[in-house]
Every structure is written in C-alpha cells, then in structure tokens.
Amino acid sequence: MIGANTVLLDHFDDPRRAGAFPADRPGIRRGEAGSRHHGAVVRFELLVAQDGKIEDCRFKAWGCAGTIACASLVAEWLPGRTLDEIRVADVRSLTGVLELPVERAYAPLVVEDAIRAAAEEGS
Amino acid sequence: MDEPIYLDYMATTPVDPRVAEAMARYLTRDGGFGNPASDTHVYGHRARAAVDDARAQVAALIGADPREIVWTSGATEANNLAIKGTAWFHKDRGRHIVTSRTEHKAVIDPCRWLERNGWRVTWLTPGPDGRVTPADIATALEPDTVLVSVMHVNNEIGVVNDIDAIGSLCRGHGCLFHVDGAQSAGKVAIDLKRSAVDLMSFSAHKVYGPKGAGALFVRREPRARIEALIHGGGHEGGLRSGTLATHQVVGMGKAFEVAMNEFDSEHARILMLRDRFRAALSGLEGVHLNGSATERVVGNLNLSFEGVHGDALLTALRGLAVSTGSACSSASGAPSYVLRALGRDDALAGASVRFSFGRWTDEAEIDRAAEQVIDAVTRLRGISPLWVGAA
C-alpha cells in the first residue's frame, strides 16, 4: 500500500497472533467473514476460558495490507475481553489509527464481522 | 533504507548518460540552441542538422526512411495522431476500426472517443496467450474498415504480436495498419522495409531516452494518408506543427542509436537475467506466467501468485520497484483489464506482478529480488485462509 503509516507497516510486517490453533484443540470458537469477490477474507479463532473471557486468539487474513494490520491490532486487543464485549465491538476507529484511505475502510469491518462470528459460534 | 531495486523498466527507463550528454549540447548559448526551423543563420542550421541526424538514427533502428519519421511528444500523441488522423482523413471512405481489448490506454481511449463520435470499433479479445491472431483480424475486417491498430509488444505481459502477418492482411484488404511500438523498439527486431505496417508509434523514454519525446512512422510508399491533429506552422510535413524540441529529439536519436548498436548483447544479457530470476522462483508453487511463454520480450515476466492478495504482495515487496498492471493504470487500484481479458479471475489478476528488467539490472539485483519475492509470498501464504497449496 502506497503511503502506509508506521503502525500499519509494523503490524503488516510482524502480525501478532497470526496462524491457527491445532484443529483438535477444544474450546475454540471460529468465525470467518468477507469473500474473494470483495477482496478480503478474515478468519479468527478464539480460545475462550471458563469465565467467558478470551484467553488467546489466532487469525488468518487474505486482503490488502490494511486488512492484515487491522486483524493483527484486533488480535492484540482481544485477550482478556469477554464474548459480550466482542459481540458489540466497534473497531472502525482503526481506520484512523492506520490512516486507511477511504477505499480501504472496509478492512476493519471485515475483521469486526469475523470476531463477532467467532463470538457467536456455538452459542 | 536502501533504494528499492528497480525492476520496472517497462514503465520507464533512466536516461542513458550518453543520451543525457548528447542532449545537453542542444540547450545553452554555447550549444545548438537555435530553432531548427530558422533557415537564415547558422544557429538554426546547426539545430536542423542535429534533428536530421536524430531522424536518421531513429529510422535506422526500425528500417525506415528518415523522411518517414514525424516527431511527437511521446507515444501517446503518436497513437492519437495515427488513429484519429486516419479516421478523420478517411471518414468518407469508411468508419470502422479494428483493435484489441489489451491495447494501451493511449490506443483504447482515442478509439473510444471515435466511437462516441460515430465510428464503429471492433474490440478483439486475445487468446489465452495474450496475442491477437491474424485469423481474428481477418474475421473482424469489414468492407468499410479503414484502420487496424494492434500493439507490437504488450506493456503488461510482454507478449509479441505477429505484425508481419497482420500487416499483410490489412494491405490485402486495403486498410491502414497502425502498430503501437512503444514497448518493442530496441527489444524486438523491427524492419519496416519488410513489414506491411503503415503507421508505427514510438517513445524515447522506454529506450533510455528522455520523457516527452516520441515519433510516428508514416509510410511513404504506399503512402499512408492521415490528417494532422495539431495545426500551426506546418512543421513535420504538416503532420505535427510546433517548434521542435531539439534536445529531446537529439536524445531520442541517440537512445535509438545506442539501442541498435547494443541490441544483440543487451538481448542476450537480459534473457540470461530473466531466466535466472524465473529459475530462482521455481521452488515456489502456485506461480503462473501470464502470456505466451515463447512469444514474449526478454525483459518481462508477469507472474500471478496464488493465495496472496495483490496489495499485500506489493506492500511486502516494497524493497522492489515493480508494478501491478501498467504504471499508467495501477493508480486506480482496479484489477488489470489486460489480465482479465486473458481470463484470469479478479483475485489472481490482483496478485500479479510485472517484473521488467533492463540495462542496469545485474545478477546481484536478480538474486536479491528473487529472495524477497520468495520470502513475501511464503509469509503471506502462511497467514492466508485461502492458501491450501497450489490448485
């Protein structure tokens, strides 16, 4: 992305909690959002503790550099949050943090849809 | 941070120092600053002689008569002059034009403008190898076709069209044949004495010459009749008025002379570099070459990478100066219309990179570039939910 800011490049070059948990690991909620057609696909996995708080998470993202950076920032924020918090999470402010141009404003929304889908899974 | 490795020679090239040195002699008071059209004094004569020399240098590379060279501000203007000039001159004879969907915008947009003004245009879709076939042209020709315009080398995927065969068809049909040669001069042998091409556009800055200089070849025998677009003084045989930019013209001439003298050695060296780059990437699965593997210029590799997003790939490759699509249209962010015309789906077309190699590319750059591509693609696939191995 031309003119990407330092926060974006930091999270794009070194995404936090990128990857996936082992498929057979119990207590994982998974959610996915976006489509190839729309230019971004984000998948989140949440490891939820007994008390309903997020203990850890992983993500995979296919999309512009801004989408990957958004997912990484959200992955950094998630641990310690409750499922209820995630269900109402509004991460649109990341557009400002990452200084995304208007045509990339979809990036936080896809990430938001992915974590909400994961929070809803199995509930 | 080090400067990115420049692998975008099809977007533009640095001016060769030999060219810059030649140009500098035609700017200042102690040089050939005169107006080439001033025939009453030595200042004008000196500039005129330099323009004549440059005309001969350009003509020599393409097998033309120097009198067939019309200077323009670049290939875009040359394309406009060829297409709109032909359409206007022959408007009472016919109003049908044949071209392809993978032409440069400098051909597509003048054709669209003519469409809006009452001409009919047949837009051919190239085959999966990116080439326009003579058979497609033959099918598209109509009794009132006045012009066929097909590029010699595609600016995005580097494939080479068979302009000799297409030219013969057009000659037989009695319509003019225009070729956008901006990407082929100096890279593919051109002999306009032999090829039935009537009009051919050239650019200086793709051949290590200056930006803002170009030329249109206008055949004298049989004569290609076109109307001028710019009037005012009758320069260039009435086809392009305006005081000639002596230094620009001299630069283009010198650039074409160097390209001719070093054609064989450059060709062999760049072919070796391209093959080295391709071989270095051979361990990476899910990589597709766009366009014909054989009928292509040596300095271009356009590759699509499965499982990665185009924007993310370019961001990861910011140590390389490369482009997706052509430089002129990648600012729009839209998937390449050329790759889409070849049938690539949007996601794969978006993850395509044009690597183009040139005079100052060396083995060390190729090796470093290949390493960066492998690292970037591997890393992005590692976090891509769409990557499950090559399709």
Side-chain angles (χ1 to χ4, degrees), chain B residues 13 44-45 53 59 67 77 120 128 133 199 215 217 224 245 293 298 300 343 385:
Chain B
T13 58
H45 298 167
D53 286 349
R67 292 171 297 178
E77 186 192 328
R120 292 169 6 262
T133 66
L199 302 156
F217 159 84
V298 294
N300 170 294

Side-chain angles (χ1 to χ4, degrees), chain B residues 3-38:
Chain B
E3 289 281 289
I5 299 170
Y6 191 77
L7 296 180
D8 208 8
Y9 282 87
M10 287 183 90
T12 193
T13 58
V15 172
D16 189 297
R18 292 167 286 186
V19 171
E21 193 263 328
M23 292 173 68
R25 293 201 300 268
Y26 291 91
L27 288 166
T28 51
R29 186 164 161 258
D30 56 350
F33 70 90
N35 187 331
S38 300

Side-chain angles (χ1 to χ4, degrees), chain B residues 48-358:
Chain B
R48 173 63 188 265
V51 167
D52 287 346
D53 286 349
R55 218 184 281 280
Q57 288 166 322
V58 169
L61 178 68
I62 59 175
D65 182 313
R67 292 171 297 178
E68 295 175 314
I69 303 301
V70 174
W71 300 114
T72 65
S73 62
T76 294
E77 186 192 328
N79 286 337
N80 271 267
L81 175 57
I83 294 166
K84 293 193 278 196
T86 298
W88 191 259
F89 191 93
H90 298 278
K91 62 184 189 303
D92 296 330
R93 194 163 67 81
R95 297 196 177 200
H96 178 244
I97 293 167
V98 177
T99 188
S100 88
R101 294 182 191 281
T102 54
E103 294 299 307
H104 191 275
K105 288 282 169 71
V107 164
I108 289 180
D109 288 351
C111 287
R112 280 193 184 139
W113 184 84
L114 286 167
E115 258 185 332
R116 289 198 300 277
N117 285 280
W119 275 261
R120 292 169 6 262
V121 178
T122 298
W123 301 95
L124 298 173
T125 300
D129 68 351
R131 300 175 77 214
V132 179
T133 66
D136 290 341
I137 299 283
T139 312
L141 291 173
E142 294 183 19
D144 67 336
T145 304
V146 289
L147 177 71
V148 172
S149 181
V150 173
M151 67 203 327
H152 196 188
V153 169
N154 182 274
N155 50 302
E156 288 193 34
I157 56 177
V159 298
V160 184
N161 283 313
D162 185 353
I163 59 170
D164 289 355
I166 297 171
S168 300
L169 264 174
C170 295
R171 186 65 56 83
H173 189 76
C175 65
L176 292 186
F177 179 39
H178 166 248
V179 176
D180 178 355
Q183 294 286 0
S184 65
K187 298 172 191 157
V188 180
I190 300 169
D191 184 2
L192 293 171
K193 278 189 218 57
R194 199 173 48 81
S195 303
V197 172
D198 300 295
L199 302 156
M200 191 158 178
S201 307
F202 297 99
S203 165
H205 79 97
K206 308 284 192 191
V207 197
Y208 310 95
K211 293 162 186 65
L216 180 66
F217 159 84
V218 182
R219 183 172 293 285
R220 288 171 65 87
E221 188 58 47
R223 191 162 193 86
R225 310 292 297 272
I226 60 173
E227 181 60 60
L229 302 184
I230 297 176
H231 303 91
H235 306 72
E236 298 298 282
L239 284 179
R240 206 283 189 173
S241 291
T243 298
L244 287 174
T246 314
H247 63 297
Q248 298 289 83
V249 159
V250 164
M252 182 160 177
K254 183 67 182 174
F256 274 50
E257 181 190 66
V258 172
M260 188 165 90
N261 293 341
E262 300 181 356
F263 187 93
D264 292 336
S265 57
E266 277 279 88
H267 190 273
R269 198 182 69 83
I270 292 172
L271 176 62
M272 181 274 290
L273 292 171
R274 183 193 74 182
D275 288 348
R276 186 183 179 94
F277 187 71
R278 190 83 172 104
L281 298 185
S282 61
L284 216 48
E285 54 177 341
V287 181
H288 306 276
L289 175 68
N290 292 308
S292 167
T294 51
E295 302 302 317
R296 61 188 304 117
V297 285
V298 294
N300 170 294
L301 271 183
N302 189 308
L303 303 173
S304 292
F305 297 88
E306 281 181 36
V308 297
H309 189 281
D311 172 84
L313 183 59
L314 272 197
T315 306
L317 291 179
R318 57 193 188 278
L320 307 181
V322 292
S323 61
T324 50
S326 74
C328 315
S329 60
S330 56
S332 66
S336 155
Y337 66 93
V338 173
L339 297 179
R340 284 168 71 169
L342 300 192
R344 289 272 185 239
D345 74 47
D346 282 2
L348 202 52
S352 300
V353 179
R354 179 184 71 180
F355 302 93
S356 48
F357 316 107

